Amino acid sequence: MAPVSQSVIVFGGTGKIGTYIVDELLKSSKFSIALFTSPNTVQTKADQIEALKKRGSRIIVGDVHNEQNVKNAYKGTHPDFDTVVSAVGRPVILDQIDLLKWAEETPNIKRFYPSEYGTDIEYGPQSVNEKPHQLKLKVRAFVRENIKRLEYTYLVTGPYSDMFFDVSGKDQRAGSFDLDAKKSVLLGTGNDKISFTTMRDVGRLLVASLLHPEESRNKALKVNSFTTTPNEILAEFERQTGGQKWEVSYTPLDELKQIEQEAWEKGVPWATGYTLRRIWTEGGTLYEKRDNEAIDGTDVDTLQVAVAAWIKEQDTGKASL
């Protein structure tokens, strides 16, 4: 039976999803935590780094591309690290191949969580051709072909509801919920089901996975917060913003596919976003069963909680301007 992790080293812990993961790891008080980060991050995110130190996280500064830096970090002290959690962003996904290789060569490292936290990249036969999946697929291929001793867990969460609600500064046709104007653009028919995870729950579910190592061992662990439709999301926004009907329009799936194709042809930076939203609308997050129950991860956010938290965040942001 796999032992419960005692000591975790995190890569990408000051990034978008890494921040939530580290927050929940520290809240749990069940692990010794360290962040591996660059000298540049220590300088540019000094306040965040100092806050993490005060909460009990060790900070290990080094170059993620330097084998000796990383292996020295893996060895740790009192106790040695046994688990690596990667939360690196999409542009540096392939850096994990070296991190995995060096972890395989470091006996005290027992488990590695590659940066997944999103759409299931092996959901069906068509997944192998999806452009946003290619780097993560290469990481999984490396694990299958080269990792023999090290255990792994892919935490597959589906899209983050927090980011689905907000496409500010991007093409509203990709779906949006405008609090000020009380206008929304919904994808597909509006009745297409999508399974979401709040970013807070990504961290909570990772902690639950760590506490259930046997159930998480060497698999893609499919978890989420809730399953809903764009129409149901809109109804919840309407309910929480006074009850009046919002102005609503739709981007049908065929139109979304056309927008997506044009974006890739023109090299639009947000092309990945169109593809992912098309995958979600097509049902690419509707797994036969989720694994929440296997890891006691059923205490998760509801749609109502997710909408309320997002509205509060928007109001807080405006107040700080």
Side-chain angles (χ1 to χ4, degrees):
M1 194 169 177
V4 174
S5 171
Q6 299 295 314
S7 190
V8 181
I9 182 170
V10 182
F11 290 81
T14 61
K16 185 178 291 292
I17 197 60
T19 298
Y20 287 87
I21 288 172
V22 170
D23 181 55
E24 295 299 331
L25 284 169
L26 290 170
K27 281 181 183 176
S28 74
S29 302
K30 296 181 183 297
F31 316 97
S32 173
I33 305 298
L35 269 68
F36 185 99
T37 193
S38 68
N40 181 63
T41 298
V42 171
Q43 290 184 342
T44 59
K45 298 184 178 181
D47 290 345
Q48 185 178 359
I49 294 295
E50 189 58 33
L52 290 170
K53 285 181 181 178
K54 288 179 179 178
R55 293 181 64 189
S57 174
R58 291 173 54 200
I59 304 298
I60 301 174
V61 182
D63 179 357
V64 74
H65 301 109
N66 184 298
E67 179 177 359
Q68 202 57 55
N69 281 182
V70 174
K71 283 187 171 179
N72 286 344
Y74 281 166
K75 289 173 184 175
T77 53
H78 310 299
D80 285 344
F81 295 112
D82 52 52
T83 302
V84 177
V85 171
S86 174
V88 300
R90 192 175 292 275
V92 291
I93 287 293
L94 287 184
D95 288 351
Q96 295 177 114
I97 288 177
D98 280 340
L99 297 181
L100 280 155
K101 177 178 179 291
W102 299 332
E104 173 82 355
E105 296 168 354
T106 307
N108 55 279
I109 301 294
K110 309 299 183 187
R111 178 76 60 95
F112 197 111
Y113 282 73
S115 186
E116 291 263 341
Y117 322 117
T119 306
D120 183 5
I121 61 171
E122 294 182 322
Y123 181 78
Q126 73 283 3
S127 297
V128 70
N129 298 315
E130 299 288 7
K131 290 184 176 69
H133 296 352
Q134 297 309 304
L135 300 183
K136 289 183 179 180
L137 285 169
K138 288 181 180 179
V139 172
R140 286 203 188 185
F142 179 84
V143 170
R144 278 193 294 269
E145 296 165 11
N146 299 278
I147 299 302
K148 309 301 179 186
R149 177 195 63 82
L150 191 66
E151 297 177 353
Y152 63 86
T153 302
Y154 304 121
L155 194 73
V156 176
T157 65
Y160 312 144
S161 57
D162 322 45
M163 295 179 67
F164 184 81
F165 297 160
D166 182 18
V167 288
S168 55
K170 301 182 177 70
D171 189 343
Q172 301 299 299
R173 295 174 299 172
S176 64
F177 298 88
D178 187 330
L179 285 174
D180 292 330
K182 289 187 166 54
K183 292 174 61 176
S184 182
V185 180
L186 306 185
L187 298 178
T189 65
N191 291 318
D192 306 292
K193 289 186 176 181
I194 305 174
S195 293
F196 294 98
T197 307
T198 64
M199 289 194 281
R200 178 177 74 156
D201 276 348
V202 172
R204 294 162 76 186
L205 289 164
L206 186 134
V207 169
S209 171
L210 287 169
L211 295 174
H212 292 79
E214 197 62 37
E215 293 81 358
S216 304
R217 181 177 177 271
N218 294 350
K219 67 182 294 185
L221 200 70
K222 298 180 176 68
V223 293
N224 57 54
S225 298
F226 54 85
T227 299
T228 190
T229 68
N231 279 334
E232 290 169 341
I233 295 172
L234 174 60
E236 187 59 30
F237 270 102
E238 290 174 340
R239 188 183 71 80
Q240 294 195 31
T241 56
Q244 72 181 80
K245 291 293 183 182
W246 286 26
E247 181 182 334
V248 59
S249 59
Y250 294 84
T251 301
L253 186 55
D254 285 346
E255 182 180 344
L256 181 59
K257 289 179 179 178
Q258 183 62 36
I259 296 169
E260 172 196 2
Q261 181 179 340
E262 292 173 356
W264 284 107
E265 289 173 352
K266 296 177 180 178
V268 174
W270 207 63
T272 292
Y274 294 117
T275 298
L276 292 175
R277 285 169 179 253
R278 186 259 301 160
I279 291 170
W280 306 336
T281 304
E282 290 178 327
T285 67
L286 303 178
Y287 318 126
E288 290 183 7
K289 63 180 288 292
R290 70 176 191 173
D291 294 312
N292 292 54
E293 289 74 13
I295 59 171
D296 291 336
T298 56
D299 182 17
V300 288
D301 292 329
T302 63
L303 170 62
Q304 292 78 11
V305 168
V307 169
W310 193 76
I311 291 173
K312 181 178 179 181
E313 183 180 336
Q314 307 315 299
D315 290 341
T316 302
K318 291 172 191 169
S320 65
L321 293 177

